[in-house]
Amino acid sequence: MIDRRQLLKFASACAVSGIVRAGSAAAAATKASKLLLVHGRGQEGQDPALLKSEWSDALNRGAAKLDLALPGGIEVAFPYYGDTLDNFARQLDIPLTSDIQTRGGLGDDEFLAFQANFADSVRQSAGITDDQVDAEYGPNPKPKGPLNWEWVQAILSAIDKHGGGMGQKTLEIFTRDVFLYTTRAGVRDEIDRIVASQMTEEPTVVVGHSLGTVVSYSILRSDRRRLRVPLYVTVGSPLGVRSVRDQFRPLRFPPPVEAWYNAFDDRDVVALYPLDAANFPVQPSIENDGAVKNHTANRHGIVGYLDDPTVAKRILGALVS
């Protein structure tokens, strides 16, 4: 029979275990000897080795601000899917709203609805008013709505003018690529295969940026291997945007992950929604850090996240020294 003292000791151990599982990134119990970096969209035609160096250099700059450095002996993996995504985009040839008038014909209704929902979520969070969108739409007599490409274009144009850095065309292409990945099984399966091939059962810190946060979340929530991820870091993530989030219902905290740290610049229009109880309700909760000041032109670039000393400290703190 377990006496009262043993029972209290057991209960205390369970409580501590729960705190470690649900706590901040700093509370991760396991140290990792591998770092896996998952890039976002727009990397087609790039040299993966140079991209990997760019990420590593930025991380080391952030660490140097605290007199730290990436530990020696750490394996750094950089799965590259940029050309694969670009090939899918060319094959499927979904017209952007800004191209419909030039190319003629109609847009893809499913994509228009997805892009309209994405753009309207960004508009609302960025504080862009109905009047500002109306000013872009002008005297157009067509009914406003998600399947009216001119209305969607007006929302994107208002974000371009008043949203703080990401241009209309860039945002259109971004939403197109996120749409392809989240709604087209063949696209998701192939990209997941590329990234998952460099995930092993070795304790690994996983860092995802932009679309890379969507890809890494997709894999970590469903991979059946015994993966071990002491720390999962997402930066510049669109996972909190309703049209993206809804592709992954029911939401769940990735089973292999001990701690999830989400960092964003509150001027980054792609990442305006923190991964909190309102926008990404999972248990244990995700630690959100909106204090990053990303110095890149559109506030979304990866170097502006990785050279932030707080972000760098969290990543290095989960690696073996």
Side-chain angles (χ1 to χ4, degrees):
M1 182 177 292
I2 300 177
D3 62 24
R4 185 171 182 273
R5 179 177 297 177
Q6 289 174 311
L7 186 61
L8 289 172
K9 185 176 181 180
F10 175 77
S12 176
C14 288
V16 170
S17 175
I19 290 170
V20 169
R21 179 71 174 85
S24 70
T30 308
K31 294 290 185 178
S33 54
K34 181 176 179 178
L35 177 62
L36 184 118
L37 309 173
V38 187
H39 68 79
R41 62 149 311 277
Q43 304 304 306
E44 63 276 3
Q46 301 294 314
D47 181 340
L50 292 178
L51 290 175
K52 177 181 172 181
S53 293
E54 182 182 60
W55 282 54
S56 298
D57 291 347
L59 180 57
N60 269 318
R61 287 196 300 274
K65 295 171 185 176
L66 300 170
D67 294 324
L68 300 173
L70 188 65
I74 294 294
E75 178 188 355
V76 180
F78 192 88
Y80 175 73
Y81 64 86
D83 289 341
T84 300
L85 177 60
D86 185 56
N87 287 336
F88 276 120
R90 293 174 185 275
Q91 291 167 19
L92 296 172
D93 192 29
I94 296 175
L96 303 175
T97 55
S98 59
D99 292 337
I100 291 174
Q101 187 172 21
T102 302
R103 292 169 52 173
L106 301 174
D108 180 289
D109 284 354
E110 187 183 0
F111 172 56
L112 276 177
F114 179 93
Q115 185 166 239
N117 287 333
F118 189 101
D120 199 53
S121 294
V122 169
R123 175 193 73 81
Q124 292 180 41
S125 187
I128 295 168
T129 66
D130 291 339
D131 287 344
Q132 288 171 322
V133 177
D134 287 340
E136 298 304 314
Y137 194 54
N140 195 320
K142 294 181 183 178
K144 302 170 183 176
L147 298 185
N148 176 355
W149 66 267
E150 291 166 308
W151 173 243
V152 177
Q153 191 175 26
I155 299 173
L156 292 165
S157 181
I159 295 171
D160 186 355
K161 285 188 177 179
H162 309 288
M166 185 167 285
Q168 178 179 346
K169 189 81 169 199
T170 301
L171 192 56
E172 285 188 80
I173 297 172
F174 179 87
T175 54
R176 191 271 315 276
D177 289 350
V178 174
F179 170 78
L180 289 176
Y181 175 79
T182 57
T183 66
R184 299 295 184 260
V187 178
R188 186 189 297 197
D189 291 346
E190 179 60 17
I191 290 175
D192 283 4
R193 184 196 65 77
I194 292 170
V195 175
S197 69
Q198 295 199 39
M199 288 186 179
T200 66
E201 296 183 5
E202 179 184 357
T204 302
V205 170
V206 176
V207 180
H209 170 241
S210 194
L211 177 59
T213 69
V214 182
V215 174
S216 51
Y217 176 69
S218 173
I219 296 168
L220 291 172
R221 74 194 293 271
S222 59
D223 198 295
R224 297 184 180 276
R225 292 173 293 172
R226 297 178 64 86
L227 300 176
R228 292 183 289 170
V229 181
L231 177 62
Y232 177 37
V233 177
T234 50
V235 295
S237 177
L239 279 168
V241 179
R242 183 179 64 254
S243 55
V244 179
R245 177 189 66 218
D246 288 353
Q247 304 300 321
F248 293 100
R249 292 194 180 278
L251 299 175
R252 61 177 178 269
F253 196 97
V257 173
E258 288 184 28
W260 184 343
Y261 170 68
N262 178 58
F264 60 97
D265 185 321
D266 59 12
R267 302 165 298 173
D268 178 353
V269 297
V270 169
L272 290 175
Y273 289 87
L275 305 185
D276 56 13
N279 302 300
F280 207 85
V282 293
Q283 287 297 326
S285 59
I286 301 162
E287 180 184 2
N288 285 278
D289 178 4
V292 177
K293 296 305 177 188
N294 190 312
H295 57 78
T296 61
N298 60 8
R299 314 299 183 188
H300 183 67
I302 183 59
V303 297
Y305 280 116
L306 290 182
D307 68 9
D308 178 86
T310 301
V311 174
K313 183 179 181 180
R314 291 302 179 90
I315 295 171
L316 268 60
L319 297 170
V320 294
S321 55

